[in-house]
Amino acid sequence: MAEQKIPQVTAKRLPLYYRYLEKLHAIGKQRVSSSDLSDALQIDPATIRRDFSYLGELGKKGYGYNVTYLLQFLRDFLKQDEVTNVVLIGVGNLGTALLRYNFYRSHNTKIVAGFDQDPGKVGSDIDGIPVYSMDRLQEVIALHNVEVAILTVPVNVAQATADFLFEAGIRGILNFTPARLIAPPKVRIHNIDLTIELQTLIYFLKNFPDEENIELPDVKE
């Protein structure tokens, strides 16, 4: 299937639709409307219809969407049958928690290794995931065909670590550090700043206490 260009905000919502459709399919639901999806996911029905319209004619007016067909379409579009191997850099408290989590709700994303500079952690494993020293990064990412890394190192070494990852061939970083990384043009960085996310949530709770289902702004770059 030819690659389709869709807005980034739509691309971020497609996995949400996919996960919910999996649940519907598991209980034998045969069709679903945009209103049904809206109630379950708290996304405006018009937004859902617009998202799907970028992908083609997926539903029929008055009928809705065939669950099996839409699920298979999104599986192919999102390449859910392909497993993406990921490495994690920085096995501290947050890194350890993410290794234990290891995308348990995803069948197509898997952390295959953790990396740390602490000799006390190197050579151990966390829920079956081995922890290596950084000098084995190139070897491990070549073995597992890894292009994506999760960064959970201290902020003072974040850029240097990222530079090392770029040189090793990593093309995408999920950055949990407060640092705003400088990357080569063809490397994608997604920043997850938990402090900002929490402050944003608290702001909306204090300033918009009576509004329901507020979609918080995307503060990640």
Side-chain angles (χ1 to χ4, degrees):
M1 182 174 58
E3 291 293 328
Q4 289 134 295
K5 295 294 185 182
I6 62 174
Q8 291 187 27
V9 290
T10 294
K12 289 181 179 181
R13 285 189 288 264
L14 293 183
L16 297 177
Y17 302 143
Y18 178 80
R19 285 203 299 267
Y20 185 65
L21 287 165
E22 278 192 313
K23 294 178 182 178
L24 295 182
H25 187 263
I27 63 174
K29 184 88 169 176
Q30 296 184 352
R31 66 177 178 173
V32 65
S33 69
S34 56
S35 295
D36 294 333
L37 291 169
S38 173
D39 291 341
L41 301 174
Q42 299 300 299
I43 300 172
D44 184 72
T47 298
I48 293 172
R49 291 191 293 270
R50 184 172 63 249
D51 286 345
F52 289 160
S53 73
Y54 291 118
L55 307 178
E57 297 294 330
L58 300 180
K60 295 180 180 179
K61 189 174 182 180
Y63 176 85
Y65 302 94
N66 180 286
V67 170
T68 300
Y69 174 78
L70 187 55
L71 180 63
Q72 184 60 56
F73 183 94
L74 289 177
R75 177 180 290 126
D76 293 339
F77 189 87
L78 295 169
K79 296 180 172 58
Q80 290 292 306
D81 292 327
E82 299 178 10
V83 176
T84 299
N85 290 331
V86 178
V87 295
L88 180 140
I89 316 298
V91 188
N93 292 332
L94 178 57
T96 298
L98 291 172
L99 288 177
R100 295 190 187 283
Y101 173 71
N102 200 5
F103 304 102
Y104 77 95
R105 283 165 50 177
S106 172
H107 301 297
N108 72 321
T109 308
K110 177 184 178 184
I111 301 176
V112 295
F115 291 87
D116 204 277
Q117 295 285 52
D118 184 348
K121 296 173 182 176
V122 173
S124 65
D125 71 79
I126 297 173
D127 281 9
I129 301 172
V131 178
Y132 298 96
S133 62
M134 287 296 291
D135 58 12
R136 296 191 62 186
L137 177 69
Q138 186 74 62
E139 169 198 345
V140 173
I141 68 171
L143 175 65
H144 294 285
N145 193 29
V146 175
E147 293 185 320
V148 178
I150 300 170
L151 194 62
T152 54
V153 298
V155 64
N156 61 309
V157 296
Q159 185 64 59
T161 305
D163 292 340
F164 189 73
L165 294 174
F166 303 148
E167 292 176 7
I170 292 296
R171 298 178 56 243
I173 292 179
L174 188 62
N175 176 31
F176 278 89
T177 81
R180 288 301 176 256
L181 304 173
I182 300 171
K186 293 186 178 181
V187 174
R188 186 76 181 232
I189 307 290
H190 280 201
N191 296 302
I192 309 293
D193 191 320
L194 298 179
T195 300
I196 290 178
E197 297 287 357
L198 182 59
Q199 289 174 341
T200 302
L201 174 61
I202 292 170
Y203 171 81
F204 272 84
L205 289 174
K206 288 182 177 179
N207 291 277
F208 302 94
D210 299 323
E211 294 192 23
E212 297 181 359
N213 303 325
I214 299 171
E215 185 173 346
L216 298 184
D218 186 358
V219 296
K220 300 179 285 294
E221 296 177 0

